[in-house]
Amino acid sequence: SPDEVEIMTDLGRLSGRRRRAANGRLAAQGVATVVVLAFLYVAVLLWEQKHYFVEVEETPVHDDIPIIIARSPLIFHSNSYRHNQSEKCSRDVSPILFDEWRRSKEVICTSNEVSIEQLKLGRWEYKPTITVFKNIILNHLFDDVNKTNVSCEVFASNSLKNDAGITTMNGPVFRVMLFDASNPYEGFHGVLNIAMVMATLNITNPQLVHMVPTGEMESNTRFPSIVEMLTAFSSLKPIIVELPSSWRLTDNGTAVLNTDQPMITLPYMVDFPFQGTSIMVTKTDKALRGRGIDHHCKSEIFRGATDFIRTNLGIGDDSTDASDVNSTIQVLWSSRGPYCCRAAGTIYTPTRAIDNEQKLVEAVQTSLGSHYNITTVDFGANMTTIDSVEAAFKSDIIVGVHGAGLVWSAFMKQHSGLVEMFGGNRGTANRHYHNIASLADIHYRSLMLDRGKGDNLSWNEESVDQIARKIQSINLKEEPSANEPK
């Protein structure tokens, strides 16, 4: 009947509207799913960035040191620094290392607001340990704190009454004591460790407290350069504390607090006294990586740390590769001539100096031709940190006899080159700078020179030809080859 037809038509219209509504709901659900997945993807990326990167919030300026800290990640993750390497390399020199160190955290003790935590990298040489003290109180910044049988109650500020006064140091405090700081290679361990600890703990702009042995500030003419390097990590001027002659760092004894003396409250203090080792010298599977055994790992951590230091010292950027600097290849010759003064007022003559070195440099320049330009520097002769980093960064190839001056090659541009000459009391078994070159992703070549007069090294025409050929063999447009570690 007509009424039945009208009812069926109305039902058809209702069914169509329901189908369209259902389809709309499905479409909306699909869009929502895509949005949720996209949000999760971005969240993961942001978590990774927060997890691995630390950014300086402001651009601080030093009052008396012309250094500006760049607003850049502490560990700079550039795709060009990432490499398809073995699992061993990834575990040793990639940000995975930070995760391993974080996961090792152990709470030593807690008492009210006071806590002490340790993070130990157990498979490294010396098992480097970071100790984090929260809300503790000391008499002096150099106080030796017991790390073996420590009691949090000893440091609990809320249980102490003191009429001599309590000073509070806000912000994170890093206590640093560089090992053999007069030697740039050994001192560089401590510098790298500051970067590693900052990245591991996600800390920016710490107050560095550099504890130095009695008399070192007067006897070590390189001391101002050491302080200059430390300023790369914070806008706060480093505090230099000269240790009493009786002071020594131990893991034994008893932590004592004298309540009759002025005291210092430290909301967050970090100790990491393992300055004789670093990522340059790690021991895994009984292999000493750094001084004695080759490795071939390229490290985004290492390059990230050196880029961070260099940038914060106000030197250059990474806008150009070594091969694009100019048409003339810049060769920096690292000399080991006599200089003044390791001890105040005395001329120091290093071992492994080259006889008639200037004539050798001139002969190599003649052999190379006009496409290369050799400039001679002596890193040991009281060059400042900024001068040394800048000289290395602006060069394409560094050539020099095995010695601490070659540590500045760590600041060269990616795919630059290092030619190391051995001889005298240092043979090719010393792999310090080969491994720095590997970590920094720069080319490496080496050769032997004959022994000369006394502790010096000698050369001849064959040496000139060999050095020139080593330099010419470095192709700055190519990535250094990397063999996997054994």
Side-chain angles (χ1 to χ4, degrees), residues 426-443:
R426 291 292 186 273
T428 56
N430 292 274
R431 310 310 288 165
H432 306 56
Y433 305 107
H434 165 277
N435 291 348
I436 285 181
S438 177
L439 291 167
D441 195 16
I442 63 177
H443 298 272

